[in-house]
Amino acid sequence: MRNITVAAAQLGPIQKDDSRQAVVARMIDLMDQAKAQDVDLIVYPELALTTFFPRWYHEDVAETDIWFEREMPNAATRPLFERAIAHGMAMNFGYAELTPEGRRFNTAILVDREGQIVGTYRKVHLPGHGEFDPERAFQHLEKRYFEPGDLGFPVFDFLGGTFGMCICNDRRWPETWRVMGLQGVEMVVLGFNTPSVNSQDAEENLERRLFHHKLSVQAGAYQNATWAVAVAKAGVEDGHPLFGGSIIVNPEGEIVAETQTEDDELLVHTCDLDATTFGKKTMFDFSRHRRPEHYGRIVAQTGVERSPD
Ligand code: CDV
């Protein structure tokens, strides 16, 4: 057995005026609760330090600088790193990254028990649009404020296992999971901010939106025989609702823990990384069963094409 006790640290809403210090204090509170349950790894949401600012249109992208971090850790997040080191707890969280070259990414990091950043991931699948869209009920401007991640989907030797990251919309794409599955991933950690309503389809209900979220994470976990930890930022932010539904999913694709609120809430589960072995050696033994000679379209095209193979 290779047991890892993991905490999904769901955050309730973060308003535009909430300071980084106030948010970090909430994250530390969840971390302290996790320590009391002997947690090895705590996972926080996408863009965990701020409101989900891509809902706000700025003509001048530089006006969004206030939502970005220029270094990590920095003054605001150092107390979180210090508490994690004191607890000997590894962590994962997302933030908006502004690099020294002026590049902007929607980023997540893996931090080991000593407070060292051992893995960085930059969101590849950016949803939404790049220009103000008057047809939508609200904006989703990730394509305006971030560039697509440039690091692929790496995996990391971490806590005695093989870990990978993705962020929010990435979870809906089977390619995300399979690229990590092909590197033997045993646990995928991901944060998300998902609006409770569809800005382009007012008829779509919350039940279906939660179904699509869970379907994606459960399928990704099952089809790649990996644990998955998916953590929401939830609740009504700046007047806009985000759903909760943080889940921990086992390598059979079953939900083993799920949040019940749209507030700060901790889910704790002990995951045996060896539970991934059965699926990886049987149904999803890739080396025996995959037929990549028939998968060329996956990397050769983006949109739908009917051209001959
Ligand atoms: N932050 C996200 O990536 N949100 C998307 C929304 C826009 C659908 C998601 O896939 O949940």
Side-chain angles (χ1 to χ4, degrees):
M1 293 220 294
R2 284 179 296 142
N3 281 346
I4 301 286
T5 300
V6 65
Q10 177 175 291
L11 288 173
I14 299 173
Q15 311 304 335
K16 249 180 162 176
D17 292 338
D18 290 346
S19 67
R20 303 276 205 292
Q21 286 73 16
V23 175
V24 165
R26 287 165 55 186
M27 294 169 79
I28 289 175
D29 186 46
L30 287 166
M31 187 180 276
D32 290 346
Q33 292 176 40
K35 179 62 183 172
Q37 296 180 67
D38 288 331
V39 162
D40 298 298
L41 168 66
I42 187 166
V43 181
Y44 297 102
E46 172 190 33
L47 299 176
L49 304 174
T50 66
T51 194
F52 191 74
F53 64 89
R55 70 169 67 90
W56 302 117
Y57 177 76
H58 293 274
E59 190 167 334
D60 180 359
V61 172
E63 285 173 17
T64 64
D65 282 1
I66 52 168
W67 308 114
F68 283 78
E69 316 301 321
R70 290 184 161 78
E71 54 181 359
M72 191 56 65
N74 54 23
T77 54
R78 197 156 288 116
L80 183 69
F81 279 72
E82 286 169 357
R83 188 65 63 96
I85 295 166
H87 286 333
M89 196 182 296
M91 65 178 167
N92 162 252
F93 68 89
Y95 63 97
E97 176 190 10
L98 180 54
T99 72
E101 300 77 33
R103 301 176 71 191
R104 295 160 191 275
F105 297 101
N106 187 340
T107 295
I109 49 174
L110 267 186
V111 184
D112 70 13
R113 295 181 194 271
E114 287 77 44
Q116 296 301 313
I117 297 173
V118 295
T120 301
Y121 170 72
R122 292 169 171 161
K123 186 174 183 178
V124 166
H125 299 101
L126 297 174
H129 46 112
E131 299 299 331
F132 186 85
D133 182 354
E135 301 293 319
R136 293 181 185 241
F138 52 90
Q139 305 297 297
H140 194 107
L141 290 153
E142 285 194 63
K143 280 184 162 54
R144 184 173 187 82
Y145 300 142
F146 301 115
E147 58 181 287
D150 60 349
L151 301 174
F153 295 97
V155 299
F156 304 92
D157 294 329
F158 190 65
L159 300 177
T162 304
F163 282 68
M165 293 177 272
C166 67
I167 299 178
C168 196
N169 191 261
D170 288 320
R171 74 197 188 286
R172 304 183 193 272
W173 298 88
E175 295 88 343
T176 298
W177 298 90
R178 185 49 50 88
V179 169
M180 289 189 275
L182 285 167
Q183 299 169 83
V185 76
E186 296 173 318
M187 182 175 282
V188 174
V189 294
L190 70 104
F192 63 92
N193 286 254
T194 303
S196 306
V197 289
N198 188 329
S199 65
Q200 296 171 290
D201 178 5
E203 301 295 305
E204 189 180 71
N205 60 33
L206 175 59
E207 189 182 354
R208 185 194 281 169
R209 292 177 70 72
L210 278 164
F211 168 67
H212 288 160
H213 151 62
K214 291 178 190 175
L215 179 69
S216 302
V217 177
Q218 291 181 256
Y222 166 63
Q223 291 169 349
N224 295 279
T226 179
W227 289 92
V229 182
V231 185
K233 176 138 66 62
V236 180
E237 252 189 20
D238 304 335
H240 294 271
L242 300 169
F243 67 61
S246 301
I247 47 177
I248 300 175
V249 177
N250 71 19
E252 301 296 334
E254 297 158 333
I255 295 173
V256 294
E258 181 173 352
T259 51
Q260 300 302 319
T261 74
E262 293 187 345
D263 293 319
D264 293 3
E265 183 179 342
L266 198 71
L267 279 184
V268 176
H269 189 82
T270 298
C271 308
D272 179 6
L273 299 181
D274 282 339
T276 62
T277 306
F278 182 75
K280 288 185 191 302
K281 292 221 161 124
T282 56
M283 185 71 81
F284 298 111
D285 183 345
F286 294 152
S287 60
R288 281 196 295 138
H289 305 310
R290 290 184 77 248
R291 292 286 172 255
E293 64 272 29
H294 297 296
Y295 306 156
R297 283 181 187 274
I298 297 280
V299 290
Q301 66 189 66
T302 47
V304 175
E305 286 175 35
R306 292 287 294 273
S307 54
D309 283 331

